Amino acid sequence: MWQSLDFLESLDKEKLALRSRIFISLHLTQPFLSNAIFSSSSSSLSLLSCSPRLPLIRTSHAHSLSIKASSSSSSTAIADPEGIKVNSVPTKPIEGQKTGTSGLRKKVKVFKQENYLANWIQALFNSLPPEDYKNGHLVLGGDGRYFNKEAAQIIIKIAAGNGVGKIMVGRDGIMSTPAVSAVIRKQKAIANGGFIMSASHNPGGPEYDWGIKFNYSSGQPAPESITDKIYGNTLSISEIKMADIPDVDLSSLGVTNFGNFSVEVVDPVSDYLELMENVFDFPLIRSLLSRSDFRYKLFVFDAMHAVTGAYAKPIFVEKLGAKPDSILNGVPLEDFGHGHPDPNLTYARDLVAIMYGENGPDFGAASDGDGDRNMILGKGFFVTPSDSVAIIAANAQEAIPYFKSGPKGLARSMPTSGALDRVAEKLKLPFFEVPTGWKFFGNLMDARKLSVCGEESFGTGSDHIREKDGIWAVLAWLSIVAHRNKDKKPGEKLISVSDVVKAHWATYGRNFFSRYDYEECESEGANKMIGYLRDLVSKSKAGDKYGNYVLQFADDFAYTDPVDGSVASKQGVRFVFTDGSRIIFRLSGTGSAGATVRIYIEQFEPDVSKHEMDAQSALKPLIDLALSVSKLRDFTGREKPTVIT
């Protein structure tokens, strides 16, 4: 085919037009020809370059989505850099594009509105210093949910239009949130950040949720200094810089070139798997999973038809020797199999039924939509996220090679129970209490002040990346159980997940903890309730009586970052009592519609004889007090929570 074009060099002007039509026809029917770069002149059309790696370098020719100019205005070409035509697409500001604690989340139908996603992406580029993206590399991944494929093409074209040099995207647009962070950090010399297409643990499909966020050069979620600029720019945006390039085939590995801009489709698992092998002792974990006395579906992992389905088989089955049938719901689906990919006792019902069954496995775990959350279960036993991070921290140095020199420091989000505080105190480690949102841990990690951290919302992680990490938490727990059983001979009773937890309580005491979620409340009523509580706090004083509890202090939590001095205020209303009990009220920023009211209840119990009480029974007086103090039923009309953790 290439030889058939050589004769074009000698054509005169009269034949040039005919030859161009021939080339256009060939281009449309033979997409691999677009690997060549052509230069036209008044007398000839020259073949400038052609890559010999035809199977790996390609250009997709499918056009499935376009960006429209607002107000019937037509787009105009504003540049033609290095063979790429860039159009200026007129647009107007769209309300409601302020990011929450982890990006911008709305219903799919909102993002499908004209220019809605494009406005936010362009506003992001308008907010970054040019040196952070011009001719640089950005990573693109997502959880596989509905609308990701269309959104990926929009992001790629706007990135090209703004002068990005290369986009590295997971095959089929899939790459977990932890993996995106890992790839950014591995490619730190050239990667400037990345986009994550996900609404995390929220449901997917045409009628449900979608989301987008940007992670910065260390792999961490963009700080508020950037997200505030993005929001500001969405209020004044007037044009979108859109490269006039075709959609890219994201289904197979390889590189597609458009002049000096390229898109590389990469394996979403390989870099992340390599990192996990460097953090953990895989032979130790494999020795546990291969024990003859750690049998009957010894290990079960529920991927919830979300992104970790792409990681579960390569890691747990192929590397660690788990049985193939130990992976539940392991195929990522756009609608998560009509499920809600939130790993808790309510939504991970398939796993819970197995683990609490008569012949339940020894170890169970689940992860969420984008792979950054986790739930850990033993046989008939639930490990709270607050206990989980505390137990990982307490055992990290002896069980996980990455921490062989000991953790640098520990941190938790403010609503998370104080179990981690007690570990930090005993190990004499620096400790930090931060607002909800993983971005608040990033500065501490970059300043080498923090190693292990967690949130009560099923997020656990460390400084190996700058995101919470679901599979990391599962591997950490497998490491702890494997380490506790490494000297056990066949036939000896193995130390179980519940044994590990109860031994921790015996050493540190138990922090009874529960969270009540009231999802998709009417925003007006929820906001009035928080306003009422803030007014109550302003009038409260130490010594006030709340039933049988005596108030130590009440406030609206504020945080000053010890690294950069930035301040985050109004992060949750707290009532802290003299016995250490706490009641906290927050509106969640992770939903896509309405408001999610969250109530956190905690009580410390040092008495070992009471450690096995049911948490709801132990906390009932505080739960009743929380509902009474907040007047939640009056403000929201809700009689019961959507989810109890």
Side-chain angles (χ1 to χ4, degrees):
M1 180 62 71
W2 295 118
Q3 289 81 353
S4 68
L5 292 176
D6 290 343
F7 78 99
L8 295 179
E9 292 292 337
S10 61
L11 288 179
D12 59 19
K13 296 179 182 179
E14 206 171 85
K15 296 178 180 178
L16 180 59
L18 173 62
R19 187 201 55 192
S20 298
R21 289 194 295 273
I22 292 172
F23 170 70
I24 291 170
S25 176
L26 288 170
H27 173 73
L28 292 175
T29 58
Q30 303 288 339
F32 68 84
L33 288 181
S34 58
N35 297 317
I37 302 173
F38 291 85
S39 174
S40 62
S41 67
S42 59
S43 60
S44 67
L45 185 68
S46 301
L47 181 62
L48 296 180
S49 67
C50 171
S51 169
R53 301 174 65 196
L54 293 178
L56 293 177
I57 302 182
R58 62 189 183 277
T59 298
S60 171
H61 59 286
H63 293 265
S64 63
L65 197 65
S66 62
I67 304 300
K68 299 179 181 179
S70 297
S71 304
S72 302
S73 301
S74 59
S75 62
T76 57
I78 57 174
D80 193 6
E82 305 298 336
I84 299 178
K85 178 183 177 183
V86 178
N87 293 323
S88 172
V89 180
T91 190
K92 291 182 178 180
I94 302 172
E95 292 183 1
Q97 294 199 312
K98 185 173 179 62
T99 61
T101 56
S102 191
L104 181 66
R105 294 178 187 171
K106 302 287 181 182
K107 296 297 185 185
V108 167
K109 62 184 178 182
V110 174
F111 274 103
K112 281 195 166 187
Q113 293 175 22
E114 183 179 307
N115 293 352
Y116 193 92
L117 172 60
N119 272 19
W120 194 89
I121 299 298
Q122 183 62 58
L124 167 67
F125 283 113
N126 294 346
S127 303
L128 298 176
E131 60 269 21
D132 281 0
Y133 63 88
K134 288 285 187 182
N135 301 313
H137 292 197
L138 295 176
V139 180
L140 174 61
D143 58 10
R145 72 176 56 231
Y146 180 82
F147 189 60
N148 276 15
K149 292 177 181 178
E150 296 171 80
Q153 303 297 340
I154 295 174
I155 294 168
I156 288 169
K157 292 173 185 179
I158 297 177
N162 282 272
V164 172
K166 184 177 185 177
I167 291 285
M168 299 173 62
V169 56
R171 181 171 45 210
D172 293 320
I174 285 179
M175 189 181 291
S176 73
T177 291
V180 169
S181 184
V183 171
I184 293 171
R185 293 181 63 75
K186 182 178 180 180
Q187 305 287 338
K188 196 169 183 178
I190 55 175
N192 305 91
F195 296 95
I196 299 172
M197 303 177 292
S198 174
S200 189
H201 55 291
N202 295 305
E207 302 301 319
Y208 292 102
D209 301 348
W210 197 82
I212 183 73
K213 74 172 185 176
F214 182 74
N215 279 28
Y216 224 178
S217 55
S218 290
Q220 82 278 27
E224 288 191 335
S225 60
I226 295 297
T227 57
D228 288 346
K229 285 182 181 178
I230 296 171
Y231 178 58
N233 282 319
T234 66
L235 302 177
S236 60
I237 190 169
S238 61
E239 70 163 352
I240 302 163
K241 296 176 183 177
M242 178 71 59
D244 188 6
I245 58 176
D247 286 1
V248 180
D249 178 11
L250 303 181
S251 64
S252 57
L253 305 181
V255 179
T256 302
N257 289 325
F258 302 98
N260 275 4
F261 174 72
S262 64
V263 178
E264 181 179 4
V265 180
V266 300
D267 176 4
V269 178
S270 58
D271 285 344
Y272 178 79
L273 173 55
E274 178 185 343
L275 177 61
M276 293 300 101
E277 289 184 288
N278 289 331
V279 171
F280 297 101
D281 184 346
F282 270 36
L284 175 66
I285 299 173
R286 189 178 182 93
S287 71
L288 173 73
L289 298 185
S290 62
R291 288 185 66 113
S292 60
D293 50 354
F294 195 67
R295 284 288 89 190
Y296 177 73
K297 274 196 174 179
L298 48 110
F299 162 79
V300 179
F301 178 79
D302 188 353
M304 304 190 80
H305 285 305
V307 72
T308 52
Y311 296 77
K313 183 179 177 182
I315 295 175
F316 297 123
V317 177
E318 295 173 6
K319 283 288 182 179
L320 296 175
K323 291 182 177 180
D325 65 355
S326 65
I327 308 301
L328 301 179
N329 304 314
V331 178
L333 299 175
E334 289 190 333
D335 63 356
F336 307 117
H338 302 290
H340 191 143
D342 193 353
N344 59 43
L345 295 172
T346 298
Y347 295 125
R349 58 180 65 89
D350 291 349
L351 176 64
V352 172
I354 291 172
M355 297 303 299
Y356 281 80
E358 184 177 350
N359 295 310
D362 296 291
F363 189 106
S367 189
D368 71 327
D370 63 329
D372 63 353
R373 300 183 186 218
N374 74 93
M375 179 172 66
I376 305 297
L377 297 168
K379 182 178 179 180
F381 190 89
F382 167 63
V383 183
T384 70
S386 296
D387 280 340
S388 179
V389 65
I391 292 167
I392 290 173
N395 292 273
Q397 186 169 8
E398 63 178 10
I400 302 172
Y402 182 81
F403 300 109
K404 62 184 178 182
S405 299
K408 305 178 191 75
L410 308 178
R412 62 167 173 82
S413 65
M414 181 273 289
T416 303
S417 91
L420 188 64
D421 313 35
R422 302 180 188 283
V423 174
E425 182 180 6
K426 181 170 183 177
L427 299 183
K428 296 180 170 54
L429 291 172
F431 173 78
F432 304 91
E433 182 181 39
V434 307
T436 297
W438 209 258
K439 57 192 173 186
F440 294 104
F441 295 123
N443 269 3
L444 297 169
M445 291 178 179
D446 288 343
R448 302 184 62 80
K449 295 177 179 290
L450 174 61
S451 291
V452 178
C453 52
E455 297 179 332
E456 49 68 39
S457 53
F458 295 87
T460 322
S462 83
D463 59 351
H464 68 291
I465 57 171
R466 296 297 183 267
E467 285 280 4
K468 48 185 176 279
D469 190 343
I471 287 180
W472 175 92
V474 177
L475 293 172
W477 266 93
L478 285 172
S479 297
I480 293 168
V481 176
H483 179 77
R484 294 288 183 93
N485 289 291
K486 67 179 181 177
D487 296 324
K488 294 285 185 180
K489 296 176 181 178
E492 291 185 0
K493 183 181 184 300
L494 296 180
I495 296 173
S496 67
V497 169
S498 62
D499 291 335
V500 172
V501 176
K502 291 173 185 177
H504 182 88
W505 291 343
T507 301
Y508 294 94
R510 181 178 181 183
N511 289 73
F512 283 102
F513 180 87
S514 187
R515 188 182 89 189
Y516 278 37
D517 289 4
Y518 298 81
E519 297 176 352
E520 296 191 358
C521 296
E522 290 293 332
S523 295
E524 182 179 0
N527 285 317
K528 284 183 177 180
M529 187 192 83
I530 294 297
Y532 166 77
L533 288 168
R534 284 175 175 151
D535 182 61
L536 188 61
V537 162
S538 70
K539 300 173 183 176
S540 298
K541 62 184 182 300
D544 286 352
K545 294 287 187 68
Y546 288 79
N548 294 326
Y549 298 91
V550 179
L551 188 69
Q552 181 177 342
F553 70 87
D555 67 2
D556 196 350
F557 181 63
Y559 173 71
T560 300
D561 191 300
V563 178
D564 63 15
S566 60
V567 177
S569 57
K570 296 184 177 180
Q571 296 297 310
V573 176
R574 300 187 294 179
F575 292 82
V576 180
F577 301 102
T578 53
D579 66 348
S581 300
R582 298 191 305 163
I583 300 172
I584 298 165
F585 303 89
R586 283 185 63 248
L587 298 186
S588 171
T590 60
S592 65
T596 295
V597 175
R598 286 185 173 154
I599 304 177
Y600 311 82
I601 306 99
E602 176 186 6
Q603 180 171 296
F604 177 68
E605 179 54 71
D607 187 346
V608 176
S609 68
K610 298 179 180 179
H611 284 174
E612 295 196 39
M613 286 182 64
D614 175 72
Q616 297 303 309
S617 299
L619 293 171
K620 189 176 187 308
L622 272 175
I623 292 168
D624 291 343
L625 177 61
L627 294 174
S628 173
V629 167
S630 65
K631 299 185 178 180
L632 181 138
R633 293 186 183 91
D634 295 338
F635 283 109
T636 68
R638 295 297 183 89
E639 292 294 326
K640 60 183 180 179
T642 313
V643 177
I644 297 176
T645 302

